[in-house]
Amino acid sequence: MRQESPLLWHEATKSYVVSRYEDVERVFKDKAGEFTTENYDWQIEPVHGRTILQLSGREHAVRRALVAPAFRGSDLRDKFLPVIERNSRELIDRFRHTGSVDLVADYATRFPVNVIADMLGLDKSDYERFHGWYTAVIAFLGNLSGDQDVARAGERTRVEFAEYMLPIIRARRENPGDDLLSTLCTAEVDGVRMSDEDVKAFCSLLLAAGGETTDKAIAGIFANLLTHPEQLEAVRADRSLISRAFAETLRFTPPVHMIMRQSASDVELSGGTVPAGSTVTCLIGSANRDEERYRDPDSFDIFREDLSATNAFSAAADHLAFALGRHFCVGALLARSEVEIGVGQLLDAMPDLRLADGFDPVEHGVFTRGPQSLPVRFTPVSG
């Protein structure tokens, strides 16, 4: 597609598919105001409610200013790094003495959801409900075939999550604590506060986006390192390389493979013109392996010189896994902290970590993608 059909009309999804790095980068950065997120009203609003992703202009800037401080700087460092470290350790303590574990089922799917629940001050014993909700949401987003059961399950999640969250939000407004939910309830920018519905929608988005993507990223980084033992050895010996391994994983096997935008006007891209009002499907996985952008793009190489680990978690990133521009992932630094802490603790607990005999990691998924299972063996160490 990159070579022959860089702008492809896809009848089944009624969208124009772009697959080259330069085109996906242009759509995301959107310096000329040519692409909007108006299509999110049918893509994600049915499951989350109206979220920050759908906003633009001043409305978006104010809402982002309300939520962003919690995910960077002193708040992230002082409030949430201890939460991340504790939640990772609690999960590892369950299996560190066993000598075997499925890193997806027993760690990756649980860790980010537990962190987010803990950050929000929610009851982690409700993990199964949170996991069920975000799984239904992700299935809804990837429901390209229009399966009605999947659609109904996603829409039902919005109702169930609202019934769960709204009473908690009202209680937190009455008696705010030191948690992220209280911060969201009381934050104010230019006289604007988030409504109960705003807060609920953001929490829903946070659980799904922060849960699913970090889950896939942690599974991906281990699948990539375990199948490239010399690079695993390098990371084990020098933990500062974890961020490089994460950046290369985001390029090589991004957790999110597709993001859709809507054209505000006729736009010229490689291969033709996108008419105004069209859905544009950006293929992140393809763009991240564009041979015009990366040397030997189909090889996993944490030492590659055409990818910066320094900028990989900022809006100046030279991979596309977090998008770019004004809708660059607000949780990128949180994800980096989770991965660096989690991978470091796992390597400490499992110094001779190796894949279970005969197991070959296979990715699953369309909209989001990663290994469904990652059984490993190790010699237990005390810790």
Side-chain angles (χ1 to χ4, degrees):
M1 284 168 59
R2 282 194 304 270
Q3 291 170 4
E4 307 289 335
S5 306
L7 185 66
L8 178 79
W9 170 252
H10 188 242
E11 180 63 31
T13 54
K14 298 287 190 289
S15 72
Y16 287 88
V17 178
V18 294
S19 51
R20 287 183 180 174
Y21 186 98
E22 62 174 343
D23 293 321
V24 175
E25 179 186 43
R26 179 178 165 190
V27 174
F28 286 167
K29 285 188 172 177
D30 188 33
K31 291 178 178 175
E34 298 167 321
F35 296 95
T36 74
T37 55
E38 287 181 18
N39 55 320
Y40 282 12
D41 59 0
W42 57 263
Q43 196 185 347
I44 68 169
E45 190 170 338
V47 284
H48 288 310
R50 190 165 172 76
T51 70
I52 191 171
L53 293 179
Q54 292 162 266
L55 307 179
S56 58
R58 176 172 162 67
E59 193 181 10
H60 175 264
V62 168
R63 289 296 187 283
R64 190 169 175 109
L66 285 167
V67 303
F71 296 94
R72 61 178 186 231
S74 60
D75 265 17
L76 177 60
R77 183 181 64 247
D78 301 338
K79 277 189 182 178
F80 301 130
L81 286 189
V83 172
I84 294 168
E85 289 169 348
R86 181 175 68 249
N87 277 282
S88 177
R89 191 169 292 110
E90 286 174 355
L91 286 171
I92 294 171
D93 282 347
R94 297 181 184 181
F95 59 75
R96 70 166 71 243
H97 305 297
T98 64
S100 65
V101 66
D102 184 334
L103 281 177
V104 174
D106 298 321
Y107 185 86
T109 57
R110 294 176 176 273
F111 175 44
V113 179
N114 286 356
V115 167
I116 291 164
D118 214 345
M119 287 172 66
L120 290 169
L122 302 177
D123 189 344
K124 282 192 298 183
S125 67
D126 288 324
Y127 162 79
E128 297 297 345
R129 295 173 76 182
F130 298 144
H131 187 259
W133 283 330
Y134 93 61
T135 303
V137 166
I138 296 300
F140 180 95
L141 298 179
N143 186 24
L144 301 181
S145 64
D147 184 307
Q148 287 302 302
D149 289 340
V150 173
R152 280 191 290 269
E155 290 163 2
R156 193 162 57 246
T157 288
R158 176 178 172 176
V159 175
E160 291 175 1
F161 189 71
E163 289 173 348
Y164 176 89
M165 280 302 301
L166 289 173
I168 298 174
I169 290 168
R170 293 183 194 114
R172 231 38 85 83
R173 287 199 193 280
E174 293 288 320
N175 294 293
D178 195 32
D179 52 80
L180 175 58
L181 184 55
S182 298
T183 302
L184 296 173
C185 288
T186 55
E188 188 172 317
V189 172
D190 296 345
V192 176
R193 284 189 171 196
M194 293 169 76
S195 68
D196 290 0
E197 177 62 27
D198 286 339
V199 174
K200 185 272 299 178
F202 183 74
C203 291
S204 177
L205 181 66
L206 186 58
L207 271 169
E212 174 78 1
T213 55
T214 309
D215 159 1
K216 297 281 191 285
I218 291 171
I221 197 171
F222 275 103
N224 291 332
L225 289 174
L226 285 160
T227 50
H228 296 81
E230 71 293 343
Q231 296 185 57
L232 175 58
E233 283 304 316
V235 172
R236 183 181 284 130
D238 179 1
R239 301 302 172 82
S240 70
L241 292 174
I242 293 174
S243 61
R244 292 193 71 92
F246 186 23
E248 175 66 347
T249 290
L250 289 170
R251 183 201 70 82
F252 186 66
T253 49
V256 177
H257 270 243
M258 293 188 289
I259 289 181
M260 295 176 178
R261 293 284 189 261
Q262 187 166 309
S263 53
S265 56
D266 290 359
V267 185
E268 199 75 27
L269 293 173
S270 300
T273 302
V274 177
S278 301
T279 297
V280 179
T281 299
C282 298
L283 296 187
I284 294 170
S286 169
N288 274 351
R289 295 204 189 188
D290 189 334
E291 46 284 300
E292 295 296 317
R293 174 61 183 79
Y294 298 104
R295 177 191 52 76
D296 196 12
D298 292 326
S299 293
F300 178 80
D301 179 9
I302 65 174
F303 299 107
R304 67 170 53 250
E305 295 175 355
D306 47 13
L307 181 72
S308 164
T310 308
N311 297 330
F313 311 98
S314 73
D318 44 17
H319 62 83
L320 301 170
F322 287 132
L324 294 167
R326 64 182 175 275
H327 287 287
F328 177 80
C329 174
V330 74
L333 290 176
L334 173 65
R336 181 179 71 175
S337 298
E338 289 179 318
V339 167
E340 289 183 349
I341 290 169
V343 171
Q345 288 189 3
L346 285 164
L347 290 176
D348 287 342
M350 303 183 291
D352 61 350
L353 170 73
R354 57 202 180 274
L355 282 169
D357 290 347
F359 186 81
D360 184 23
V362 178
E363 289 190 310
H364 295 267
V366 178
F367 179 77
T368 60
R369 189 165 172 81
Q372 281 186 330
S373 180
L374 199 60
V376 297
R377 303 283 181 270
F378 60 94
T379 304
V381 293
S382 58

